Every structure is written in structure tokens, then in C-alpha cells.
Amino acid sequence: MAKHQILIVDDSRMMRNVIKEHLAGFDCDTMEAIDGEMGLGLARKAHFDLIITDVEMPGKDGIEMCRDLKADPSTRGIPILIISSFDSEADIHRGFEAGASAYLSKKDVFDQLYSSVEAILSKSVFNSSKQILAVDDSFLIRHLVETELSKSGYRILTANNGQDALEKMETIHPDLILSDIDMPVMNGFEFCEAVKGHDRFKSIPFIVMSTNSDRGHMQRMLRRGAQAYLVKPFNMDQLTILVDKMLSDHFIMLLKDRENLDSERRMMLSAITSLVNALEARDSYTKGHSTAVAGIAAAMAELSGASKEEVRTVLIGGHLHDIGKIGISDAVLLKPDRLTEQEFAYIKQHPDIGANILSPIDSLGDIVPMVRCHHERMDGKGYPAGLKGSKIPLWARITAVADTFHALTSNRPYRTGMKVENALQIIEDVRGTQLCPDCVDLFLQWIGQDNSKKIEEWDETGSFQGQMLLSDSLPV
């Protein structure tokens, strides 16, 4: 992460040095100015994450500099900490009115400067990451909202009606929406309903801004999913405080949701790992099969350019792809001879059984299609649904290649596993009919990275060294 850039504005060299000493714990670079005019000039030329300023200085004082910074679009988002010996209620009020983010008495510098700077920088980083969409047919309102909220570091996008806003939301996902009600083309009622009815947008906090103070209007908007209602004209400080609170509460809620999701996923994976272990304990062939398929499939996904999260999904799915065999009787699963047509029809139920086991678990939703579809074929002759070509989910197609390779090279109750070279030839022969050509290419690319070594390891142990484990896939 880049160092924080901090500007210190004070006519006292001693005070500037004191402030710099107290900032030593931060990974930051500092610049100094001796008065407001110099500070303003530096702020307009260079980027700063924070400005710390005195009030009483010759020439342009700190309050005047603060007002000028907040009036300039290029600098209005910089947080300002005022440190002054003028610390009466009136002085503090004057500082906040000028746009300061915090006000600290010089006598409190030793005890509170570090924590104050830490809190301001943390909030500034948070605010600058947030995109707010302001929707109003009045240019004046849009300009006012954009000007005031950008002073707190927020990124503002504007639209002049609901339809305009929805079109912009096709490429930009706002973190909060401010919307008027009475607008042409698409009004606030219709816009709010469209937002809350869309899976991607329904969790976005929605604040109404309207001149209509009718209780019925307020109730209608709140029933449509709006979280707050402001009656125009409103105080811009009131709006800023409300936006701060809404985004902060929403952020905390999202963190809790993520923690709950991770906790649920860990517990479920622990339970399912026990099922996999139980399944492998029944069948000497199955033992190690899931780990091998998972490692190969995850490596293929990584080669495809998948994200870390997607590779982790494939890894988990590979471990669980045969979980449905837990519902197949031992008489069929462990039969030492070839299966009859009736028995084969019975064992072909295992992808659906596995998908049904995992389907109730929301956090494993991306894995269910892998489990259900890993026996589908490109020519549509697979099972359970007879899907064809690209209708088969990509991760299932990848898993199918890994599963096929391991099945060919492993010992089964009724035959001995074949040599790797022979298995590779069969995989080439069925590309385009049984297996996805692109996924076969990924597999060959992976095994070709060090072909002789991998073949030697596989023929000796039945699995490649360095295979990833299910425990590696748990969220951290």
C-alpha cells in the first residue's frame, strides 16, 4: 500500500516538529507549509490524504484555507484536522462549519493526535471507496448534493431520472442511492421498485429526497424498500450525517453476513468432509479419488485464468463430486464385477443425489452444478439431464476431464488401471464427443508442464505430489 501523504500547516516550526514526531508510527510522508496561502498552493499541486492545520497564522489563516479547499473540486475531498489553542465551543463550531473533519486542542496533541489521525484516515479510505448515485431532475439539487458529499470524500454519480439512473447502473454498482420522487420518464416510486426488484441492486441503501412531506408518500416509499425519507429543503449536514450512518451500518451488516456465511460454510464443509470420509471408507477405489480429481480440476481452473475464489470453488466441488454415492447401496457400489444395465441405471442417480444433499446449503450454490453435471457429455449422451455442449457448466466440464483421467488410470474392482500414456490417448479420442475440447486442452497443458515427472509420480502412487486438500479451500 502506498504511503499516506500528509500536509502540516502551522507557522510554528516547533509545532510542526511535534506533529511530525507523533506521526512517526504511520507509514506516511509529510510536507510542511507556514501559512494558509502556502498550504492551499501545495494542496492544489500535489495529492494529500490529510491536511493538519493551525487556525491562527499570518496572512491566510486555517479557517480561510479550509473554506477555500472545500470550495475547490480538486481539493474538497481532502480531510482536514484542525489543531488549535482556540478551542472554545464557538471556535470548534467555526472549524466544522468551514469543512474540517475533526478539531483537536493543542493541549490534547500528545494524547489524541495519533488516534485522531488514524480514525480520519480510516474513514477517508472508506468514504473514497463508496460510490453514491444522486437521482434528481433538478440540476441545482444534483450539483448541491455532489458538492457537499464530495467534501467528505465520496464519489458521486448523478442521473436526472429513474430511467437514466438504471442505464448507468448497468455498468456502475452504487453503494447508496439518493432519489427524488417527482421526476419525468421514470419517477422515484417506479425507480425504487425497479431497484428493489433486482437481485443485484436490492440490498443497496435507498434514501428518498422529496419536497412532498405527505405521510402517504413516505409510507409508499418505505413499503417499496426505501430506508430513509428526507423532506426538501433539508440541511446538507443532515444529509451527510445520514449517508455516513447508512453506509457505516450497511458495511457492518455486510461484514456480519460474510462472517455468518464463512462460519456456515466451515461447519457445512466439516460435516460434508465427514460424509466424504465415510464414503471413502466403504470403497477402496473411492479413497483418494476425490482428492486427486479435486487437485487436477483446480489446477486446470487456475490455468484457465479463474480467480482464487473460483479455483477454490472448483477444488471444493472436486472433493464433493461423488458425494451422491453415499446413497448407493454397497451391493452395487462395491460389486467386483461389471454392472448390469439395471445396476448402472441405479448408480447413475448419484449426481442427482449429491446435488440434492448440497442444494439446501446456500453457500455451496456454485458447487451444486458441478456435482450434478460432471457425468454430462458434449454430445448430449451423458446423464442425468442429457445436457449438450456449452449448456454443461464449465466447472463440471473441467471436473469431467479430471474424473475421466483418474478413473482410467486407477484400479477398479473389475480391472487394473491403465498406463498414463494410454489414458491420454483415450482422452484425446473422446474430445468433442464425451469431453469438452477446451477443457482437454487445459488438462494437456497442465500435465505437459512437466510430463515425465507427473507420469512417474502417478504410476507409482496413483496421485500427484502436492495435491491441494479440502482444508486448503476453507475461507479465511
Side-chain angles (χ1 to χ4, degrees), residues 45-97:
K45 291 178 182 177
H47 166 77
F48 292 102
D49 299 295
L50 173 65
I51 295 175
I52 300 175
T53 183
D54 188 15
V55 170
E56 194 69 15
M57 296 179 288
K60 189 184 291 290
D61 66 23
I63 297 296
E64 292 174 312
M65 181 189 70
C66 195
R67 290 196 183 106
D68 289 344
L69 288 167
K70 293 303 175 179
D72 187 335
S74 67
T75 58
R76 67 166 59 118
I78 305 172
I80 301 169
L81 168 61
I82 291 179
I83 298 178
S84 176
S85 54
F86 295 91
D87 54 3
S88 68
E89 286 294 327
D91 292 322
I92 295 172
H93 177 74
R94 202 160 65 99
F96 282 120
E97 211 172 35

Short mmCIF file of all heavy atoms in Angstrom, two decimals, residues 45-97:
data_model
loop_
_atom_site.label_atom_id
_atom_site.label_comp_id
_atom_site.label_asym_id
_atom_site.label_seq_id
_atom_site.Cartn_x
_atom_site.Cartn_y
_atom_site.Cartn_z
N LYS A 45 -1.37 21.45 -5.91
CA LYS A 45 -0.32 20.93 -6.81
C LYS A 45 -0.06 19.44 -6.58
O LYS A 45 0.34 18.73 -7.50
CB LYS A 45 0.98 21.70 -6.60
CG LYS A 45 0.94 23.15 -7.09
CD LYS A 45 2.26 23.84 -6.79
CE LYS A 45 2.23 25.31 -7.24
NZ LYS A 45 3.49 26.01 -6.87
N ALA A 46 -0.23 18.99 -5.36
CA ALA A 46 0.10 17.59 -5.02
C ALA A 46 -1.09 16.91 -4.35
O ALA A 46 -2.01 17.58 -3.88
CB ALA A 46 1.32 17.56 -4.10
N HIS A 47 -1.05 15.57 -4.33
CA HIS A 47 -2.12 14.81 -3.68
C HIS A 47 -1.81 14.64 -2.20
O HIS A 47 -0.70 14.24 -1.83
CB HIS A 47 -2.26 13.44 -4.33
CG HIS A 47 -3.09 12.49 -3.51
ND1 HIS A 47 -4.46 12.55 -3.46
CD2 HIS A 47 -2.73 11.48 -2.67
CE1 HIS A 47 -4.92 11.62 -2.65
NE2 HIS A 47 -3.88 10.96 -2.16
N PHE A 48 -2.79 14.92 -1.34
CA PHE A 48 -2.64 14.70 0.09
C PHE A 48 -3.82 13.88 0.61
O PHE A 48 -4.97 14.08 0.19
CB PHE A 48 -2.54 16.02 0.86
CG PHE A 48 -1.28 16.78 0.58
CD1 PHE A 48 -1.27 17.86 -0.29
CD2 PHE A 48 -0.10 16.38 1.17
CE1 PHE A 48 -0.10 18.55 -0.56
CE2 PHE A 48 1.09 17.06 0.91
CZ PHE A 48 1.09 18.14 0.04
N ASP A 49 -3.52 12.97 1.54
CA ASP A 49 -4.57 12.16 2.17
C ASP A 49 -5.13 12.84 3.41
O ASP A 49 -6.21 12.49 3.88
CB ASP A 49 -4.00 10.79 2.57
CG ASP A 49 -3.48 10.03 1.36
OD1 ASP A 49 -4.30 9.67 0.49
OD2 ASP A 49 -2.26 9.82 1.28
N LEU A 50 -4.39 13.82 3.93
CA LEU A 50 -4.83 14.54 5.13
C LEU A 50 -4.07 15.85 5.22
O LEU A 50 -2.88 15.92 4.90
CB LEU A 50 -4.55 13.69 6.38
CG LEU A 50 -4.79 14.35 7.75
CD1 LEU A 50 -6.28 14.66 7.94
CD2 LEU A 50 -4.28 13.45 8.88
N ILE A 51 -4.79 16.88 5.67
CA ILE A 51 -4.16 18.17 5.98
C ILE A 51 -4.38 18.47 7.45
O ILE A 51 -5.52 18.43 7.94
CB ILE A 51 -4.73 19.31 5.11
CG1 ILE A 51 -4.40 19.07 3.63
CG2 ILE A 51 -4.18 20.67 5.56
CD1 ILE A 51 -5.03 20.07 2.68
N ILE A 52 -3.29 18.74 8.16
CA ILE A 52 -3.36 19.12 9.58
C ILE A 52 -2.98 20.60 9.65
O ILE A 52 -1.90 20.99 9.20
CB ILE A 52 -2.39 18.28 10.43
CG1 ILE A 52 -2.75 16.78 10.30
CG2 ILE A 52 -2.44 18.72 11.88
CD1 ILE A 52 -1.76 15.86 11.01
N THR A 53 -3.85 21.42 10.23
CA THR A 53 -3.60 22.86 10.19
C THR A 53 -3.90 23.56 11.51
O THR A 53 -4.79 23.15 12.27
CB THR A 53 -4.43 23.52 9.08
OG1 THR A 53 -4.11 24.92 9.01
CG2 THR A 53 -5.92 23.36 9.32
N ASP A 54 -3.12 24.57 11.75
CA ASP A 54 -3.40 25.52 12.84
C ASP A 54 -4.49 26.48 12.36
O ASP A 54 -4.83 26.52 11.17
CB ASP A 54 -2.11 26.28 13.17
CG ASP A 54 -2.24 27.16 14.41
OD1 ASP A 54 -3.20 26.98 15.17
OD2 ASP A 54 -1.36 28.03 14.60
N VAL A 55 -5.04 27.26 13.26
CA VAL A 55 -6.02 28.29 12.87
C VAL A 55 -5.34 29.65 12.74
O VAL A 55 -5.36 30.29 11.69
CB VAL A 55 -7.18 28.36 13.88
CG1 VAL A 55 -8.04 29.59 13.60
CG2 VAL A 55 -8.02 27.10 13.82
N GLU A 56 -4.72 30.10 13.81
CA GLU A 56 -4.16 31.44 13.85
C GLU A 56 -2.79 31.47 13.19
O GLU A 56 -1.78 30.98 13.74
CB GLU A 56 -4.05 31.91 15.31
CG GLU A 56 -3.80 33.39 15.49
CD GLU A 56 -5.00 34.26 15.10
OE1 GLU A 56 -6.12 33.70 14.97
OE2 GLU A 56 -4.82 35.47 14.93
N MET A 57 -2.73 32.02 11.98
CA MET A 57 -1.47 32.14 11.23
C MET A 57 -1.47 33.47 10.49
O MET A 57 -2.55 34.00 10.18
CB MET A 57 -1.33 30.98 10.22
CG MET A 57 -1.22 29.60 10.83
SD MET A 57 -1.08 28.29 9.58
CE MET A 57 -2.75 28.27 8.92
N PRO A 58 -0.30 34.02 10.19
CA PRO A 58 -0.26 35.28 9.44
C PRO A 58 -0.79 35.07 8.02
O PRO A 58 -0.72 33.98 7.46
CB PRO A 58 1.23 35.64 9.43
CG PRO A 58 1.93 34.34 9.64
CD PRO A 58 1.04 33.55 10.53
N GLY A 59 -1.33 36.14 7.43
CA GLY A 59 -1.89 36.03 6.09
C GLY A 59 -3.18 35.23 6.13
O GLY A 59 -4.09 35.51 6.92
N LYS A 60 -3.28 34.21 5.30
CA LYS A 60 -4.48 33.37 5.27
C LYS A 60 -4.45 32.40 6.45
O LYS A 60 -3.52 31.61 6.59
CB LYS A 60 -4.56 32.60 3.94
CG LYS A 60 -5.88 31.86 3.73
CD LYS A 60 -5.86 31.03 2.45
CE LYS A 60 -5.84 31.92 1.21
NZ LYS A 60 -7.11 32.63 1.00
N ASP A 61 -5.48 32.48 7.31
CA ASP A 61 -5.48 31.59 8.48
C ASP A 61 -6.07 30.22 8.11
O ASP A 61 -6.47 29.97 6.97
CB ASP A 61 -6.23 32.22 9.65
CG ASP A 61 -7.72 32.41 9.39
OD1 ASP A 61 -8.29 31.70 8.53
OD2 ASP A 61 -8.35 33.26 10.07
N GLY A 62 -6.11 29.32 9.09
CA GLY A 62 -6.54 27.95 8.85
C GLY A 62 -7.99 27.83 8.44
O GLY A 62 -8.35 26.99 7.61
N ILE A 63 -8.86 28.68 9.01
CA ILE A 63 -10.29 28.63 8.66
C ILE A 63 -10.50 29.06 7.21
O ILE A 63 -11.24 28.42 6.45
CB ILE A 63 -11.11 29.53 9.60
CG1 ILE A 63 -11.00 29.04 11.06
CG2 ILE A 63 -12.56 29.59 9.16
CD1 ILE A 63 -11.60 27.67 11.31
N GLU A 64 -9.83 30.12 6.80
CA GLU A 64 -9.94 30.59 5.42
C GLU A 64 -9.41 29.54 4.44
O GLU A 64 -10.00 29.28 3.39
CB GLU A 64 -9.17 31.90 5.25
CG GLU A 64 -9.77 33.08 5.98
CD GLU A 64 -8.89 34.32 5.91
OE1 GLU A 64 -7.67 34.20 6.17
OE2 GLU A 64 -9.41 35.39 5.58
N MET A 65 -8.27 28.93 4.79
CA MET A 65 -7.72 27.89 3.93
C MET A 65 -8.69 26.72 3.83
O MET A 65 -8.90 26.16 2.74
CB MET A 65 -6.38 27.40 4.49
CG MET A 65 -5.73 26.33 3.61
SD MET A 65 -4.28 25.55 4.36
CE MET A 65 -5.05 24.59 5.68
N CYS A 66 -9.29 26.35 4.94
CA CYS A 66 -10.24 25.24 4.96
C CYS A 66 -11.42 25.52 4.03
O CYS A 66 -11.82 24.66 3.23
CB CYS A 66 -10.73 25.04 6.40
SG CYS A 66 -11.56 23.48 6.68
N ARG A 67 -11.96 26.74 4.10
CA ARG A 67 -13.09 27.11 3.22
C ARG A 67 -12.68 27.05 1.75
O ARG A 67 -13.44 26.58 0.90
CB ARG A 67 -13.59 28.51 3.58
CG ARG A 67 -14.31 28.61 4.92
CD ARG A 67 -15.10 29.90 5.01
NE ARG A 67 -15.72 30.04 6.32
CZ ARG A 67 -15.31 30.87 7.28
NH1 ARG A 67 -14.27 31.66 7.04
NH2 ARG A 67 -15.94 30.93 8.43
N ASP A 68 -11.48 27.57 1.45
CA ASP A 68 -11.01 27.56 0.06
C ASP A 68 -10.80 26.14 -0.46
O ASP A 68 -11.10 25.84 -1.62
CB ASP A 68 -9.70 28.35 -0.06
CG ASP A 68 -9.91 29.85 0.11
OD1 ASP A 68 -11.06 30.30 0.01
OD2 ASP A 68 -8.91 30.57 0.34
N LEU A 69 -10.28 25.27 0.39
CA LEU A 69 -10.07 23.87 -0.01
C LEU A 69 -11.40 23.20 -0.33
O LEU A 69 -11.51 22.45 -1.30
CB LEU A 69 -9.35 23.10 1.11
CG LEU A 69 -7.87 23.43 1.32
CD1 LEU A 69 -7.38 22.84 2.64
CD2 LEU A 69 -7.03 22.88 0.17
N LYS A 70 -12.41 23.45 0.50
CA LYS A 70 -13.71 22.80 0.31
C LYS A 70 -14.49 23.39 -0.85
O LYS A 70 -15.42 22.77 -1.38
CB LYS A 70 -14.53 22.88 1.60
CG LYS A 70 -13.94 22.07 2.76
CD LYS A 70 -13.79 20.61 2.39
CE LYS A 70 -13.09 19.79 3.46
NZ LYS A 70 -12.95 18.37 3.10
N ALA A 71 -14.11 24.60 -1.28
CA ALA A 71 -14.78 25.23 -2.43
C ALA A 71 -14.18 24.78 -3.76
O ALA A 71 -14.79 24.97 -4.81
CB ALA A 71 -14.69 26.75 -2.30
N ASP A 72 -13.00 24.17 -3.71
CA ASP A 72 -12.30 23.76 -4.92
C ASP A 72 -12.57 22.27 -5.18
O ASP A 72 -12.23 21.43 -4.34
CB ASP A 72 -10.80 24.00 -4.74
CG ASP A 72 -10.01 23.77 -6.02
OD1 ASP A 72 -10.48 23.00 -6.89
OD2 ASP A 72 -8.91 24.34 -6.15
N PRO A 73 -13.17 21.92 -6.33
CA PRO A 73 -13.47 20.50 -6.61
C PRO A 73 -12.24 19.59 -6.54
O PRO A 73 -12.37 18.41 -6.21
CB PRO A 73 -14.04 20.54 -8.04
CG PRO A 73 -14.57 21.92 -8.20
CD PRO A 73 -13.66 22.80 -7.40
N SER A 74 -11.07 20.13 -6.82
CA SER A 74 -9.87 19.29 -6.84
C SER A 74 -9.35 18.97 -5.44
O SER A 74 -8.56 18.03 -5.26
CB SER A 74 -8.76 19.96 -7.65
OG SER A 74 -8.29 21.14 -7.01
N THR A 75 -9.78 19.72 -4.44
CA THR A 75 -9.26 19.52 -3.07
C THR A 75 -10.34 19.29 -2.03
O THR A 75 -10.03 19.00 -0.89
CB THR A 75 -8.43 20.74 -2.63
OG1 THR A 75 -9.25 21.93 -2.70
CG2 THR A 75 -7.22 20.94 -3.53
N ARG A 76 -11.62 19.41 -2.43
CA ARG A 76 -12.67 19.38 -1.41
C ARG A 76 -12.81 18.04 -0.70
O ARG A 76 -13.36 17.95 0.40
CB ARG A 76 -14.02 19.79 -2.02
CG ARG A 76 -14.60 18.82 -3.03
CD ARG A 76 -16.08 19.15 -3.31
NE ARG A 76 -16.29 20.48 -3.81
CZ ARG A 76 -16.81 20.77 -5.00
NH1 ARG A 76 -17.15 19.78 -5.83
NH2 ARG A 76 -16.99 22.01 -5.37
N GLY A 77 -12.29 16.96 -1.31
CA GLY A 77 -12.39 15.65 -0.67
C GLY A 77 -11.30 15.36 0.34
O GLY A 77 -11.34 14.33 1.02
N ILE A 78 -10.31 16.24 0.49
CA ILE A 78 -9.21 16.01 1.44
C ILE A 78 -9.71 16.25 2.86
O ILE A 78 -10.19 17.34 3.17
CB ILE A 78 -8.02 16.93 1.16
CG1 ILE A 78 -7.54 16.80 -0.29
CG2 ILE A 78 -6.86 16.62 2.11
CD1 ILE A 78 -6.48 17.83 -0.68
N PRO A 79 -9.59 15.29 3.76
CA PRO A 79 -9.99 15.53 5.15
C PRO A 79 -9.03 16.50 5.83
O PRO A 79 -7.83 16.50 5.54
CB PRO A 79 -9.92 14.14 5.79
CG PRO A 79 -9.00 13.35 4.93
CD PRO A 79 -9.14 13.89 3.54
N ILE A 80 -9.58 17.33 6.70
CA ILE A 80 -8.78 18.37 7.37
C ILE A 80 -8.93 18.22 8.88
O ILE A 80 -10.05 18.15 9.40
CB ILE A 80 -9.23 19.78 6.95
CG1 ILE A 80 -9.09 19.95 5.43
CG2 ILE A 80 -8.43 20.85 7.68
CD1 ILE A 80 -9.74 21.20 4.89
N LEU A 81 -7.80 18.16 9.57
CA LEU A 81 -7.77 18.14 11.03
C LEU A 81 -7.23 19.47 11.50
O LEU A 81 -6.11 19.85 11.18
CB LEU A 81 -6.88 16.99 11.52
CG LEU A 81 -6.52 17.00 13.02
CD1 LEU A 81 -7.78 16.91 13.88
CD2 LEU A 81 -5.55 15.87 13.35
N ILE A 82 -8.05 20.21 12.26
CA ILE A 82 -7.61 21.48 12.82
C ILE A 82 -7.05 21.24 14.22
O ILE A 82 -7.70 20.60 15.06
CB ILE A 82 -8.78 22.49 12.88
CG1 ILE A 82 -9.18 22.91 11.46
CG2 ILE A 82 -8.38 23.73 13.70
CD1 ILE A 82 -10.35 23.89 11.41
N ILE A 83 -5.84 21.74 14.46
CA ILE A 83 -5.22 21.69 15.79
C ILE A 83 -4.97 23.13 16.22
O ILE A 83 -4.21 23.85 15.57
CB ILE A 83 -3.90 20.91 15.77
CG1 ILE A 83 -4.15 19.45 15.35
CG2 ILE A 83 -3.23 20.95 17.14
CD1 ILE A 83 -2.87 18.63 15.27
N SER A 84 -5.62 23.55 17.29
CA SER A 84 -5.54 24.97 17.66
C SER A 84 -5.66 25.15 19.16
O SER A 84 -6.28 24.34 19.86
CB SER A 84 -6.65 25.74 16.95
OG SER A 84 -6.65 27.10 17.35
N SER A 85 -5.06 26.24 19.63
CA SER A 85 -5.24 26.61 21.05
C SER A 85 -6.56 27.34 21.24
O SER A 85 -7.02 27.53 22.36
CB SER A 85 -4.07 27.49 21.51
OG SER A 85 -3.93 28.61 20.65
N PHE A 86 -7.19 27.73 20.11
CA PHE A 86 -8.53 28.33 20.18
C PHE A 86 -9.54 27.17 20.16
O PHE A 86 -9.88 26.64 19.10
CB PHE A 86 -8.77 29.26 18.98
CG PHE A 86 -7.87 30.46 18.96
CD1 PHE A 86 -6.64 30.42 18.30
CD2 PHE A 86 -8.25 31.63 19.62
CE1 PHE A 86 -5.82 31.54 18.30
CE2 PHE A 86 -7.42 32.74 19.61
CZ PHE A 86 -6.20 32.70 18.96
N ASP A 87 -9.96 26.77 21.36
CA ASP A 87 -10.75 25.54 21.45
C ASP A 87 -12.07 25.72 22.20
O ASP A 87 -12.57 24.80 22.84
CB ASP A 87 -9.93 24.43 22.11
CG ASP A 87 -9.35 24.84 23.47
OD1 ASP A 87 -9.65 25.97 23.91
OD2 ASP A 87 -8.62 24.04 24.07
N SER A 88 -12.63 26.94 22.13
CA SER A 88 -13.95 27.14 22.72
C SER A 88 -15.00 26.48 21.83
O SER A 88 -14.73 26.08 20.69
CB SER A 88 -14.25 28.63 22.86
OG SER A 88 -14.40 29.21 21.56
N GLU A 89 -16.24 26.37 22.33
CA GLU A 89 -17.32 25.79 21.54
C GLU A 89 -17.52 26.57 20.24
O GLU A 89 -17.74 25.99 19.17
CB GLU A 89 -18.62 25.79 22.35
CG GLU A 89 -18.68 24.74 23.44
CD GLU A 89 -18.69 23.33 22.89
OE1 GLU A 89 -19.26 23.11 21.80
OE2 GLU A 89 -18.08 22.44 23.52
N ALA A 90 -17.40 27.91 20.32
CA ALA A 90 -17.58 28.74 19.14
C ALA A 90 -16.47 28.50 18.12
O ALA A 90 -16.70 28.44 16.91
CB ALA A 90 -17.61 30.22 19.53
N ASP A 91 -15.22 28.33 18.60
CA ASP A 91 -14.09 28.07 17.71
C ASP A 91 -14.26 26.72 17.00
O ASP A 91 -14.04 26.60 15.79
CB ASP A 91 -12.77 28.07 18.50
CG ASP A 91 -12.40 29.44 19.05
OD1 ASP A 91 -12.64 30.43 18.32
OD2 ASP A 91 -11.90 29.51 20.17
N ILE A 92 -14.65 25.73 17.78
CA ILE A 92 -14.83 24.39 17.21
C ILE A 92 -15.95 24.40 16.18
O ILE A 92 -15.83 23.82 15.09
CB ILE A 92 -15.11 23.36 18.32
CG1 ILE A 92 -13.88 23.23 19.24
CG2 ILE A 92 -15.50 22.01 17.74
CD1 ILE A 92 -14.09 22.40 20.48
N HIS A 93 -17.04 25.08 16.50
CA HIS A 93 -18.17 25.18 15.57
C HIS A 93 -17.74 25.86 14.27
O HIS A 93 -18.11 25.43 13.17
CB HIS A 93 -19.31 25.98 16.22
CG HIS A 93 -20.48 26.18 15.31
ND1 HIS A 93 -21.37 25.17 14.99
CD2 HIS A 93 -20.91 27.29 14.62
CE1 HIS A 93 -22.28 25.63 14.16
NE2 HIS A 93 -22.04 26.91 13.92
N ARG A 94 -16.92 26.91 14.39
CA ARG A 94 -16.44 27.63 13.22
C ARG A 94 -15.57 26.73 12.34
O ARG A 94 -15.64 26.76 11.12
CB ARG A 94 -15.63 28.87 13.67
CG ARG A 94 -15.53 29.97 12.62
CD ARG A 94 -15.16 31.28 13.29
NE ARG A 94 -13.84 31.24 13.90
CZ ARG A 94 -12.74 31.74 13.33
NH1 ARG A 94 -12.81 32.32 12.15
NH2 ARG A 94 -11.59 31.68 13.94
N GLY A 95 -14.77 25.89 12.97
CA GLY A 95 -13.92 24.96 12.22
C GLY A 95 -14.73 23.92 11.45
O GLY A 95 -14.48 23.67 10.27
N PHE A 96 -15.73 23.34 12.11
CA PHE A 96 -16.57 22.35 11.43
C PHE A 96 -17.40 23.00 10.33
O PHE A 96 -17.62 22.39 9.28
CB PHE A 96 -17.47 21.63 12.44
CG PHE A 96 -16.76 20.56 13.23
CD1 PHE A 96 -16.68 20.64 14.62
CD2 PHE A 96 -16.17 19.49 12.59
CE1 PHE A 96 -16.03 19.65 15.35
CE2 PHE A 96 -15.51 18.50 13.31
CZ PHE A 96 -15.44 18.58 14.70
N GLU A 97 -17.84 24.21 10.58
CA GLU A 97 -18.62 24.93 9.59
C GLU A 97 -17.78 25.19 8.32
O GLU A 97 -18.31 25.21 7.20
CB GLU A 97 -19.09 26.27 10.18
CG GLU A 97 -20.41 26.73 9.63
CD GLU A 97 -20.93 27.95 10.40
OE1 GLU A 97 -20.11 28.80 10.84
OE2 GLU A 97 -22.15 28.06 10.54
#
